[in-house]
Amino acid sequence: MKVFLTDMVPYRLKLAEQLGGLPINVSKGSIKDSLKAHGADSADVAVDTSGKQVAREEGLRALAQRGSLICVGHGEGILLKISPDIIAPERGLVGSEYFRYDELPANLRRLKQHRSYLNQIITHRFGVDEIQKSFELFFGGETGKVIIEQ
C-alpha cells in the first residue's frame, strides 16, 4: 500500500519520506498530478488535517470511485456538488473531531504500542522557558512535531 503525504514544508516532506511515505509538495502542483508522478491515478482515502478548504477540495478531487475523504478537526468549509462529487462516484465524506472520554484507555494503549514510531515524528523537545524558540522553529518549517516539557 502506498501512503502519500502532502505538505509545503521541505523539512516535513523529507521527514515523511524517511518514515516511508511518498511526499507530495502541494506548493508545486495539484495532488492529482503529483499522484500520477508517483504512478497512481487516485487515492482510496484522503485525510485532511489542515482544515483548509483548498486542501479538502484537492483531496476530494484526488479520490477514486468509492473513496473517502476524512476531515479531521474544524476549519474552513468545502464546496461540493453532491451529484458529481459524492453520489455518482459513490464517495464518502466523514468528519472527525475528537475521541470520546471512554475511548481514552484504548487510545493510550495505541500510543504506547506505537511509541517508537511516534518518537520519530517528534523531532524537538523544549522546556517551557524556550517556548518562544520552539514556536519560531516550528513556524519557520524547521521541525516535525514539537513537545513542550516542564
Side-chain angles (χ1 to χ4, degrees):
M1 168 177 35
K2 294 180 180 182
V3 176
F4 302 95
L5 296 139
T6 62
D7 208 308
M8 300 183 325
V9 179
Y11 182 100
R12 294 182 192 128
L13 290 165
K14 179 121 178 103
L15 179 60
E17 189 171 27
Q18 290 170 351
L19 295 172
L22 297 168
I24 293 176
N25 189 332
V26 293
S27 68
K28 295 187 176 184
S30 74
I31 293 173
K32 188 91 170 142
D33 289 342
S34 297
L35 288 173
K36 288 183 185 200
H38 282 294
D41 291 324
S42 57
D44 295 322
V45 176
V47 180
D48 171 63
T49 60
S50 72
K52 297 292 186 185
Q53 180 172 332
V54 66
R56 291 172 174 176
E57 290 172 0
E58 280 265 340
L60 183 69
R61 282 191 293 275
L63 286 178
Q65 182 171 3
R66 297 193 176 118
S68 295
L69 172 63
I70 302 167
C71 298
V72 179
H74 297 272
E76 299 170 6
I78 182 171
L79 294 176
L80 296 171
K81 294 181 180 168
I82 296 300
S83 289
D85 291 338
I86 303 295
I87 295 172
E90 299 178 315
R91 292 180 180 139
L93 178 61
V94 177
S96 176
E97 187 172 28
Y98 306 102
F99 52 85
R100 296 185 322 259
Y101 180 76
D102 64 327
E103 296 172 320
L104 186 59
N107 285 332
L108 181 58
R109 281 192 300 279
R110 287 184 190 100
L111 286 171
K112 288 179 178 179
Q113 180 182 4
H114 299 287
R115 185 180 304 222
S116 62
Y117 178 78
L118 294 171
N119 280 335
Q120 296 174 78
I121 297 168
I122 300 167
T123 60
H124 293 76
R125 294 175 183 269
F126 292 97
V128 173
D129 59 324
E130 297 179 290
I131 199 162
Q132 182 63 38
K133 179 181 176 182
S134 70
F135 273 100
E136 289 169 5
L137 280 173
F138 178 79
F139 287 112
E142 297 299 321
T143 71
K145 295 297 181 186
V146 175
I147 301 291
I148 304 298
E149 303 173 313
Q150 283 197 15

